[in-house]
């Protein structure tokens, strides 16, 4: 296979969760621009419908399914609806939806812990499981891209549930890779650093000003920075890469 052809994902079918905004939208957009048919699953009905309408107006095959991924029954319904749209074929799964809550450990509310874990960890696992049940029956196998964080490597202050979930996603990725690598499945984890998205919009300007000098690249990341890594992991170019944690962080981790 010619080197450039290895990156060709034209015509592949994908599901991206949380793709109405932020890094998830960046990755969904990257797949669309590379020629994929993409179903975006999100809880924000008006927003995700608008996003998909904008993409279709540009000629992309973008479709949406609205649902609550923290609810197991609704998650299964979303997956089933997405598979109907994709004609029963799934080449790429990116379970990227994520939430956070900030509180000191001793004050962390139980309901917030449960919600963060249900979205950031449980939804990831159950989407992976449903995807494997499809991909393992396909001659072409499939690609799964999980989303970790710098919190997959080290602790982050006052986001206990988020840190626990992102650490678990990293280990989950490795576990599934070991079980499925010889069966046509590739699963790898992208670990964003400090990203300029809606999730970090609540940070004070002082905190942002303190953080930026610690990033060797000299800037925060954007959803655009996730497009290339996502396309690479969705393509044949990554066929021998499995169970890897890949920082997308402007060299923050290694400073």
């Amino acid at each position: 296979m010619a080197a450039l052809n290895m990156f060709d994902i034209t015509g592949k079918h994908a599901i991206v969760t949380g793709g109405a905004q932020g890094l998830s939208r960046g990755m969904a957009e990257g797949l669309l621009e590379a020629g994929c048919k993409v179903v975006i699953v999100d809880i924000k009905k008006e927003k995700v419908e608008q996003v998909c309408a904008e993409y279709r107006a540009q000629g992309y095959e973008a479709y949406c399914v609205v649902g609550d991924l923290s609810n197991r029954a609704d998650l299964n319904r979303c997956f089933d609806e997405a598979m109907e749209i994709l004609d029963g074929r799934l080449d790429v799964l990116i379970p990227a939806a994520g939430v956070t809550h900030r509180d000191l450990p001793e004050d962390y509310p139980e309901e917030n812990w449960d919600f963060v874990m249900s979205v950031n960890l449980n939804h990831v696992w159950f989407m992976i499981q449903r995807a494997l049940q499809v991909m393992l029956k396909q001659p072409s196998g499939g690609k799964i891209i999980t989303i970790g964080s710098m919190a997959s490597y080290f602790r982050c202050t006052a986001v206990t549930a988020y840190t626990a979930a992102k650490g678990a996603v990293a280990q989950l990725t490795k576990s599934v890779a070991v079980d499925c690598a010889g069966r046509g499945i590739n699963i790898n984890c992208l670990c964003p650093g400090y990203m300029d998205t809606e999730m970090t919009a609540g940070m004070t300007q002082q905190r942002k000003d303190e953080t930026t000098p610690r990033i060797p690249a000299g800037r925060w990341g954007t959803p655009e920075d996730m497009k290339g890594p996502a396309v690479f992991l969705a393509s044949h170019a990554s066929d021998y890469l499995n169970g890897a944690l890949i920082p997308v962080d402007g060299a923050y981790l290694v400073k």
Side-chain angles (χ1 to χ4, degrees):
M1 182 182 293
L4 288 180
N5 291 340
M6 295 172 68
F7 293 88
D8 185 6
I9 57 173
T10 305
K12 288 189 179 294
H13 291 191
I15 296 174
V16 180
T17 66
Q21 64 183 23
L23 302 184
S24 305
R25 179 171 179 176
M27 291 182 284
E29 187 171 290
L31 296 183
L32 288 166
E33 291 173 344
C36 287
K37 180 178 181 178
V38 179
V39 174
I40 298 173
V41 181
D42 204 286
I43 196 171
K44 299 177 180 177
K45 184 176 189 295
E46 291 185 5
K47 194 163 190 176
V48 71
E49 287 178 347
Q50 179 183 346
V51 165
C52 287
E54 290 173 0
Y55 286 138
R56 285 196 299 274
Q58 299 174 56
Y60 298 128
E61 287 193 272
Y63 303 89
C64 67
V65 171
V66 179
D68 180 1
L69 294 168
S70 71
N71 179 285
R72 194 80 48 80
D74 215 25
L75 180 149
N76 282 318
R77 176 192 59 79
C78 289
F79 187 86
D80 291 339
E81 287 189 19
M83 291 308 300
E84 287 183 20
I85 294 169
L86 297 174
D87 302 317
R89 193 179 105 222
L90 182 61
D91 303 297
V92 183
L93 170 71
I94 308 182
V99 296
T100 191
H101 173 79
R102 185 172 293 276
D103 243 322
L104 290 174
E106 65 271 25
D107 299 322
Y108 210 97
E110 181 180 349
E111 63 271 19
N112 292 96
W113 172 274
D114 290 341
F115 180 62
V116 171
M117 295 299 284
S118 68
V119 176
N120 290 12
L121 178 59
N122 293 351
H123 126 262
V124 176
W125 161 240
F126 287 108
M127 288 295 288
I128 288 173
Q129 187 177 54
R130 291 298 308 272
L132 288 175
Q133 291 165 357
V134 175
M135 292 175 171
L136 288 168
K137 296 175 183 177
Q138 298 175 160
S140 57
K143 304 278 189 172
I144 300 172
I145 305 168
T146 59
I147 307 303
S149 165
M150 291 296 97
S152 299
Y153 296 95
F154 49 75
R155 65 95 187 108
C156 293
T157 303
V159 284
T160 314
Y162 180 87
T163 302
K166 290 302 183 180
V169 166
Q171 293 301 101
L172 172 62
T173 301
K174 296 174 188 178
S175 179
V176 175
V178 170
D179 287 332
C180 297
R183 297 192 286 164
I185 305 296
N186 293 81
I187 178 168
N188 294 286
C189 183
L190 293 176
C191 296
Y194 282 95
M195 294 285 179
D196 189 11
T197 66
E198 292 84 351
M199 187 175 285
T200 57
M203 291 178 66
T204 64
Q205 191 58 49
Q206 179 183 356
R207 176 88 187 280
K208 290 182 177 181
D209 291 342
E210 291 171 351
T211 301
T212 304
R214 297 171 59 194
I215 304 172
R219 66 172 178 86
W220 284 44
T222 71
E224 288 278 327
D225 292 311
M226 299 295 287
K227 289 183 179 181
V231 170
F232 164 62
L233 292 179
S235 74
H236 285 297
S238 61
D239 279 355
Y240 202 60
L241 188 66
N242 227 328
L245 274 61
I246 304 173
V248 186
D249 66 347
Y252 181 91
L253 183 65
V254 295
K255 182 174 181 181

